[in-house]
Amino acid sequence: MPPFGAWAPDRPKINQGGLREARNVVPADASYEPFRSPTATTSAIGARPYGMFGARDAAGGVHIYAGTATKLFELATDGTWTDRAGASTFTLTETNRWRFCTFKDRVIATSLTDAIQQQDMTSGGNFSALAGSPPKAKFAVAYGEFLVLAHLEDSEFKVRWCSISDPESWSIGTNQADEQELPDGGAITGLLVTDVVYIFQEYAIRRMVYVGEPDVMRIEVVEKGRGCVAPESLVALGANGFYRSEDGWYQFDAVSGQSAPIGYERVDEWFNVNSSRAYLYRLSAAIDPTHKLVLWLFASADSATGTPDRVLLYNWSVGRWAYADLALELLSPVLTLSVSVDDLDSIYGNLDAIPISLDDPSLVGGIVSMGGMTSDGKLVRFADAGATQEALLVTDDIAPGPVVMVRGVRPLIDGAGAYVSVNARMRAQDAFTTSTETTTTRTGMCPQRAVGRFVRVRVRVPAGSEWTDAEGFDLDVTPVEMT
């Protein structure tokens, strides 16, 4: 039984034992699983979201925030959004994003175009400008007793931090508050915090560590010539980070301070061809801890307006890739709110319309889950009960040597009827001819009649079919005498 091998469209295509297509599936250890559509769980904000965030306050309460070009919102347990901008109206441009972090019991929101915003999560209420006149910034993270800002309004190469334990004090030289402008490496494109701060730039990665007075922070280069070119591609997983560099996808090890390629000879070139570089700023990323996945949502080359419509999936535990069709505005990990039966009735109209089980973990507060937002500002969650999308698996060229006739293919997919067709050609430079698609008989075989020296097996599982694993296929072939 040939297994469905790794999807690696950048590799040579003949006798590689891999896949040319792995669409609308999730890569697992020795198989592929169905990719399930997310479910909207809230009302719509009514505008395109420019960022979202989930956090806990000091008392353990869960908060979910989202921002548009002009407002900041907080989600209530009944699935509605409360305007938390108050009298403020913000001015984000097309390429801006809201980025959030927590500093003790405050949630901090930055956008570069507007004054840094903050809300005391325990007290609640509206966001307000952070006191102390900090500079506008693209990025903010909490590092020990410091709030660290990067990519500032006056310099995209600058890092600045507040006075120790006081995010409302920004006077240089006061209680260790200071700043540093990086001399090279391009614009700052992200921050990753462990026990140090890693500063990602377009063409360098630096480590910043607290050393106390008089220097306060020591900043040193750990990688040069490579960095993160897509700010929203950087996503953290414990002591690791994943990001897009100019030459492909990388995994960053915060222990060693070094990056390793994960997309080379796999999906780097595929992404270059199939994504829209003009809309790379609309890319977003998230971690799915349940399925050991990193997901990057992006606008494909087919997206005329730049709206994200495709997601790249990487299983970090086994090093395998796949992709799926997904029309969302952004992805983000999010904490679940504790939802009552009355809340569910308010969200869905009646209990019979709820698309998930009442025992689903997404209804329990404080659980980290995969989330995202639609273009009109509905929060969505991914659940194992979601509807499956149409899956397509296409093998590399199988070239057994002699010309063969494919008489049948038995797809090894549990729980669902699959459909099979075969691409065949005589020479590597010839165009393929595609056989008529057939479904499984009582023996599990899909009858076929295709002749060639090079063949590809195409397996399709219809949308809505319930299945668990696609492991491989059996191929019934016989040599053909050529005259």
Side-chain angles (χ1 to χ4, degrees):
M1 177 201 78
F4 288 125
W7 178 58
D10 293 357
R11 288 179 181 166
K13 55 183 174 291
I14 299 174
N15 281 339
Q16 295 295 307
L19 296 180
R20 292 289 96 191
E21 286 280 351
R23 187 169 188 164
N24 293 329
V25 292
V26 174
D29 183 16
S31 67
Y32 291 86
E33 300 171 357
F35 183 83
R36 297 179 182 273
S37 299
T39 301
T41 59
T42 73
S43 62
I45 291 175
R48 173 186 157 192
Y50 280 60
M52 67 175 293
F53 183 66
R56 299 175 191 265
D57 59 34
V62 176
H63 304 260
I64 295 176
Y65 303 94
T68 66
T70 58
K71 292 290 183 180
L72 286 167
F73 297 86
E74 184 173 2
L75 184 65
T77 57
D78 66 357
T80 61
W81 295 95
T82 302
D83 183 347
R84 292 298 192 192
S88 299
T89 299
F90 305 113
T91 57
L92 273 69
T93 61
E94 168 71 15
T95 57
N96 284 129
R97 282 286 182 93
W98 283 110
R99 297 177 176 87
F100 301 86
C101 73
T102 56
F103 187 85
K104 298 183 179 179
D105 212 32
R106 305 183 196 215
V107 61
I108 306 293
T110 61
S111 68
L112 190 60
T113 58
D114 295 277
I116 295 174
Q117 300 293 303
Q118 66 89 36
Q119 182 210 58
D120 185 308
M121 291 186 287
T122 299
S123 301
N126 292 333
F127 279 86
S128 61
L130 182 63
S133 300
K136 297 174 184 176
K138 196 168 188 176
F139 305 103
V141 294
Y143 172 49
E145 293 297 311
F146 297 93
L147 181 62
V148 177
L149 309 178
H151 193 129
L152 309 184
E153 58 180 328
D154 66 336
S155 174
E156 60 188 6
F157 315 110
K158 190 178 287 185
V159 181
R160 188 166 176 178
W161 54 91
C162 68
S163 297
I164 191 166
S165 299
D166 189 355
E168 297 184 356
S169 174
W170 293 88
S171 298
I172 301 298
T174 300
N175 293 329
Q176 304 186 38
D178 207 345
E179 66 180 17
Q180 185 167 331
E181 189 160 26
L182 308 179
D184 56 21
I188 296 172
T189 53
L191 301 173
L192 189 156
V193 181
T194 57
D195 55 340
V196 301
V197 179
Y198 285 99
I199 303 168
F200 284 75
Q201 300 172 253
E202 293 171 302
Y203 308 108
I205 302 173
R206 284 177 156 87
R207 178 194 293 118
M208 184 172 82
V209 58
Y210 175 69
V211 295
E213 295 183 298
D215 295 331
V216 187
M217 302 286 184
R218 183 179 68 244
I219 301 178
E220 57 191 5
V221 175
V222 295
E223 284 199 53
K224 199 163 189 176
R226 177 189 301 121
C228 175
V229 296
E232 304 309 323
S233 71
L234 178 61
V235 61
L237 173 68
N240 291 279
F242 300 88
Y243 66 95
R244 176 74 184 179
S245 183
E246 190 66 55
D247 63 338
W249 297 100
Y250 283 84
Q251 181 172 343
F252 179 75
D253 180 0
V255 176
S256 67
Q258 297 297 306
S259 300
I262 57 174
Y264 176 67
E265 282 292 291
R266 297 179 182 182
V267 299
D268 286 345
E269 287 305 314
W270 179 92
F271 184 79
N272 288 338
V273 171
N274 287 276
S275 66
S276 172
R277 191 173 182 88
Y279 293 104
L280 196 59
Y281 65 88
R282 292 183 74 170
L283 184 148
S284 60
I287 297 290
D288 179 354
T290 302
H291 298 97
K292 307 295 189 293
L293 296 175
V294 191
L295 298 92
W296 288 278
L297 178 70
F298 64 97
S300 75
D302 299 326
S303 178
T305 61
T307 302
D309 59 350
R310 192 163 287 173
V311 62
L312 193 59
L313 303 97
Y314 176 64
N315 185 318
W316 71 78
S317 66
V318 296
R320 295 178 70 168
W321 295 84
Y323 76 100
D325 302 313
L326 184 62
L328 289 179
E329 186 56 47
L330 57 86
L331 289 176
S332 175
V334 66
L335 294 172
T336 57
L337 296 175
S338 182
V339 181
S340 69
V341 172
D342 289 339
D343 292 331
L344 290 172
D345 192 50
S346 174
I347 295 169
Y348 296 107
N350 64 78
L351 296 180
D352 292 334
I354 299 172
I356 57 177
S357 166
L358 294 178
D359 296 326
D360 194 277
S362 66
L363 304 181
V364 180
I367 295 175
V368 179
S369 68
M370 266 295 300
M373 297 194 80
T374 61
S375 58
D376 61 352
K378 293 177 183 175
L379 186 146
V380 303
R381 299 189 189 278
F382 293 80
D384 288 339
T388 62
Q389 296 188 188
E390 181 179 88
L392 178 64
L393 298 165
V394 181
T395 69
D396 288 331
D397 291 18
I398 302 169
V403 176
V404 297
M405 175 185 290
V406 180
R407 299 187 298 188
V409 178
R410 180 182 290 108
L412 302 179
I413 300 176
D414 65 338
Y419 293 79
V420 167
S421 58
V422 174
N423 293 339
R425 58 185 174 183
M426 295 301 294
R427 301 177 301 173
Q429 63 266 38
D430 292 341
F432 279 110
T433 59
T434 302
S435 67
T436 301
E437 188 178 69
T438 59
T439 190
T440 52
T441 64
R442 288 185 302 170
T443 64
M445 186 68 74
C446 297
Q448 284 291 313
R449 197 170 189 84
V451 176
R453 195 181 297 274
F454 302 90
V455 296
R456 292 180 182 178
V457 174
R458 300 173 56 90
V459 179
R460 182 179 66 86
V461 184
S465 300
E466 278 303 319
W467 57 283
T468 304
D469 288 287
E471 298 181 45
F473 57 97
D474 285 330
L475 197 59
D476 182 6
V477 299
T478 185
V480 175
E481 291 288 338
M482 300 296 294
T483 59

